[in-house]
Amino acid sequence: MPAASISITDFLRNLPLFRELEPAQLERLAAGAREIRAGPGTILFRRGDPSLGMHAVVYGQVKLALTAPDGAEKVVEVVGPGGSFGEAVMFLEKPYYVTAEVLADSLVLFVSRTAIFAEIDASPQFARRMLAGLSLRLHRLIGDLEALSLKSGTERVIGYLLRDCPDTGPQALDVRLPVAKGVLASRLNLTREHFSRILHDLAAAGLVRVAGRSVRILDAARLRTWRP
């Protein structure tokens, strides 16, 4: 059966980047947008393809990755619901520098560069939101660079597991890995084997319990300060 029709305006309204826009602004952006429904393995674009707009994930997951000539892959980011990508190269009017691959059944909105630029010209408020989004991404990239440069593999895995855990509160909590371990390992600049070994060591130390993609943190305070 064909997929049910959707209101692109309604989806745009619920995305963080566009949430505070006026109805008329949303309508103009929706006129320059189209929906992409895709399953796992679908390539939205490849490195070197021309960038003609930006993408926003309504539901599902999209992997942004670099691929070496020998086929080795480095995952740069996994974008989930409410996230967007492609803004930077859109503004630079340069080709994409990563490949975007769908990881799960997804609905992605593509908003044309023409529509975005027209709205920026018309609305300083929208321009500020775009700048804030790009600044937040830069801040995250600097944090990633710091982690990759200055922290051990074990520290990177622990930091990921505790990323949504407050400094105080429950000592035990459940974490669901959002993607396959191989994808997450690449995101943390680890091999899959090294990533699995770190989880095994944490489990052996009585800090976590692992079952597939489910990780039960048994003692968050101890895990936060643990070093092998």
Side-chain angles (χ1 to χ4, degrees):
M1 295 178 60
S5 61
I6 67 166
S7 168
I8 291 180
T9 303
D10 288 342
F11 278 116
L12 287 174
R13 182 182 294 112
N14 290 316
L15 292 171
L17 186 62
F18 306 122
R19 191 167 291 154
E20 296 179 9
L21 296 185
E22 298 294 330
Q25 294 174 299
L26 289 167
E27 290 292 344
R28 289 194 294 269
L29 286 173
R34 61 182 172 88
E35 60 180 277
I36 303 170
R37 295 179 185 270
T42 302
I43 302 297
L44 298 178
F45 56 77
R46 297 185 185 277
R47 179 186 175 105
D49 288 348
S51 170
L52 302 177
M54 59 167 285
H55 294 77
V57 179
V58 178
Y59 63 76
Q61 292 176 323
V62 177
K63 175 181 69 177
L64 307 181
L66 297 166
T67 304
D70 63 0
E73 181 181 78
K74 172 65 178 79
V75 177
V76 176
E77 188 174 2
V78 175
V79 184
S84 59
F85 54 97
E87 301 96 321
V89 291
M90 175 186 70
F91 284 118
L92 292 172
E93 301 187 50
K94 291 184 176 295
Y96 293 113
Y97 61 91
V98 296
T99 294
E101 179 183 349
V102 175
L103 294 179
D105 288 337
S106 300
L107 172 59
V108 180
L109 295 183
F110 172 80
V111 187
S112 73
R113 182 173 64 201
T114 301
I116 294 287
F117 283 9
E119 206 52 49
I120 286 175
D121 290 341
S123 171
Q125 177 192 20
F126 181 65
R128 286 194 296 269
R129 288 185 67 81
M130 294 295 296
L131 284 172
L134 289 171
S135 297
L136 179 60
R137 180 154 303 169
L138 176 61
H139 180 73
R140 288 173 177 169
L141 287 173
I142 291 173
D144 290 344
L145 179 61
E146 177 186 26
L148 294 176
S149 303
L150 303 177
K151 295 183 179 180
S152 68
T154 298
E155 289 172 326
R156 296 199 294 276
V157 172
I158 290 174
Y160 181 84
L161 293 176
L162 294 173
R163 69 195 186 286
D164 296 323
C165 178
D167 290 341
T168 59
Q171 292 301 297
L173 68 154
D174 294 305
V175 175
R176 175 73 178 173
L177 303 182
V179 293
K181 291 178 181 177
V183 174
L184 182 54
S186 178
R187 179 70 182 83
L188 297 174
N189 205 34
L190 301 167
T191 64
R192 180 186 174 90
E193 293 74 19
H194 190 188
F195 180 73
S196 295
R197 188 163 61 250
I198 290 171
L199 288 180
H200 180 271
D201 290 345
L202 295 177
L207 296 166
V208 303
R209 186 163 58 241
V210 182
R213 289 192 187 181
S214 297
V215 179
R216 173 78 170 170
I217 296 175
L218 303 175
D219 189 334
R222 185 171 163 231
L223 179 63
R224 186 173 285 108
T225 59
W226 189 79
R227 296 295 180 271

